[in-house]
Amino acid sequence: MLTLTVNVFAQDIPKLQLKQSGVEPIIVEVKDKTASELYSKSLNWIQETYKSPDDVLKSKIENSKIRINGYSSDSWHMDSAGIRKQRYGYNYTLEVSFKEGRYRFVYTIEYLSNNGKKFAYSYDQFWKKNGKIRPHCVVSMSVFFVRV
């Protein structure tokens, strides 16, 4: 089972979906908001959400785009015969592009890890060759969107 948990504060948005090829980008429509307002609120959200916002913020183009690199701990595990194994994390990139009345959200899982050590395989191995999810794989991602 692969799940994405999206906590939304102010508007309904499309659900992020993790597929074998990755997380599909989404576009969020926000009426009556300028690119500048969305950009500013997103920067505030980063300051409030991350322990070290200056460390995760990798790029910003004023009123246009923000990119952050982060780590999500305890985000996935593999079950074997119904017994939960150790939980692991993953490193990700989040890129948000702003336009008048909307923003585009691109969430990329860079690599799976455990205690900072990169795994030799990636999340695409959660799927069988026929495209079905392996029954022992469980991924839970929490993504919190900025209030607009």
Side-chain angles (χ1 to χ4, degrees):
M1 174 210 291
L2 296 177
T3 60
L4 288 171
T5 304
V6 181
N7 296 312
V8 181
F9 296 108
Q11 72 276 354
D12 291 327
I13 61 167
K15 194 176 224 180
L16 290 172
Q17 295 182 6
L18 177 61
K19 297 189 175 185
Q20 196 167 6
S21 60
V23 179
E24 294 185 356
I26 61 171
I27 296 175
V28 180
E29 300 290 334
V30 187
K31 291 183 179 181
D32 303 323
K33 295 288 181 185
T34 66
S36 176
E37 289 173 305
L38 295 170
Y39 175 83
S40 176
K41 288 183 178 283
S42 295
L43 286 177
N44 289 341
W45 171 78
I46 292 168
Q47 293 296 320
E48 294 172 4
T49 302
Y50 289 91
K51 291 179 186 176
S52 302
D54 292 337
D55 292 336
V56 300
L57 187 59
K58 297 301 177 187
S59 175
K60 59 182 181 177
I61 301 170
E62 190 169 351
N63 302 326
S64 180
K65 187 182 288 188
I66 294 172
R67 187 176 66 239
I68 61 173
N69 289 356
Y71 175 76
S72 181
S73 62
D74 296 334
S75 301
W76 70 279
H77 65 271
M78 296 179 97
D79 288 344
S80 178
I83 300 170
R84 183 176 277 188
K85 301 290 184 186
Q86 184 175 355
R87 295 183 65 83
Y88 304 101
Y90 62 87
N91 290 64
Y92 64 89
T93 299
L94 171 64
E95 185 173 287
V96 186
S97 303
F98 307 96
K99 302 247 183 207
E100 302 302 312
R102 69 177 186 208
Y103 60 96
R104 183 172 190 254
F105 188 85
V106 179
Y107 191 85
T108 306
I109 298 173
E110 298 296 334
Y111 58 88
L112 304 175
S113 59
N114 184 20
N115 295 324
K117 295 179 183 171
K118 185 175 178 179
F119 278 33
Y121 55 90
S122 69
Y123 63 85
D124 63 346
Q125 294 177 346
F126 294 155
W127 282 266
K128 296 178 183 179
K129 289 182 182 179
N130 66 5
K132 293 190 178 194
I133 298 169
R134 296 182 187 278
H136 61 279
C137 296
V138 179
V139 177
S140 176
M141 288 184 265
S142 293
V143 182
F144 297 89
F145 285 86
V146 63
R147 178 181 298 230
V148 292

